[in-house]
Amino acid sequence: MSEIITVTNSMLSVDALKRIVASSYELADILEIRFLQFGLNDTYLVKSVKLENYILRVYRHDWRSRSDIGYELDALIHLNQKGVSVSVPIPQKDGQLIKDLLAPEGTRLMVLFSYAPGQMIDYGEVQASAYGRAVAGCHNALQDFSSQHQRFELDLEHLLETP
């Protein structure tokens, strides 16, 4: 008899994601969903027939809680409202920002984001300086940030001991 092997992280079908995104969001017809990157989150490029692009992030099962993700989304929305150029979450038809997906390993959470156009850069002195200014701008814009969501602590335990 064969043993059933559990799944840690599945590769989701782009056809299934296309159906889910099309039924969940007010987007123009979706032309394509293309897998971009596997990591702590799976990242996909969503292209519509109106040549609008979006980024779809599917979080790993049990990697971040719904509250952790909600905190991150609140921070991005806050930064955007303060005039910082960031990618923001796109609400679903029901107004929710986070969608549950039932995957073989368990529930995975999904968020659709606006697309941030750009190109890969070579980090030289000028780019490092610009990056530093951008990060400082984010820190300044977050001075009055608050969220109803709780987030894990970025402390020594989380950064050094847990891994």
Side-chain angles (χ1 to χ4, degrees):
M1 172 151 71
S2 297
E3 181 179 344
I4 295 176
I5 298 176
T6 59
V7 175
T8 302
N9 193 45
S10 59
M11 174 64 79
L12 303 180
S13 159
V14 292
D15 291 333
L17 289 172
K18 187 175 178 181
R19 284 192 306 275
I20 292 166
V21 170
S23 67
S24 301
Y25 295 90
E26 294 284 349
L27 303 179
D29 288 340
I30 297 171
L31 186 61
E32 172 188 18
I33 294 185
R34 184 174 3 130
F35 178 77
L36 293 178
Q37 182 177 355
F38 173 81
L40 296 175
N41 310 298
D42 293 346
T43 305
Y44 300 82
L45 174 65
V46 178
K47 292 184 168 199
S48 78
V49 294
K50 288 188 176 180
L51 303 178
E52 296 167 328
N53 291 333
Y54 303 88
I55 292 295
L56 183 66
R57 174 182 282 174
V58 180
Y59 297 79
R60 279 192 179 197
H61 173 67
D62 282 342
W63 168 240
R64 293 286 183 246
S65 71
R66 180 176 295 279
S67 186
D68 292 335
I69 296 167
Y71 186 96
E72 171 189 332
L73 301 180
D74 286 349
L76 290 171
I77 292 166
H78 180 85
L79 286 168
N80 180 261
Q81 291 170 344
K82 293 285 188 164
V84 178
S85 181
V86 293
S87 181
V88 292
I90 306 294
Q92 297 171 66
K93 290 177 183 177
D94 64 5
Q96 297 297 309
L97 298 176
I98 303 171
K99 177 127 184 107
D100 290 24
L101 300 177
L102 300 177
E105 63 269 31
T107 301
R108 293 181 66 179
L109 303 175
M110 177 182 91
V111 178
L112 184 68
F113 291 92
S114 61
Y115 184 78
Q119 58 190 18
M120 296 295 291
I121 61 171
D122 180 23
Y123 284 101
E125 185 176 330
V126 172
Q127 291 82 7
S129 179
Y131 177 78
R133 284 191 303 278
V135 170
C138 288
H139 282 280
N140 289 338
L142 289 169
Q143 290 298 315
D144 62 347
F145 170 70
S146 66
S147 175
Q148 68 181 2
H149 301 284
Q150 296 298 309
R151 181 177 179 246
F152 60 90
E153 290 287 326
L154 277 176
D155 56 13
L156 290 178
E157 167 105 13
H158 178 81
L159 295 172
L160 299 177
E161 299 299 327
T162 302

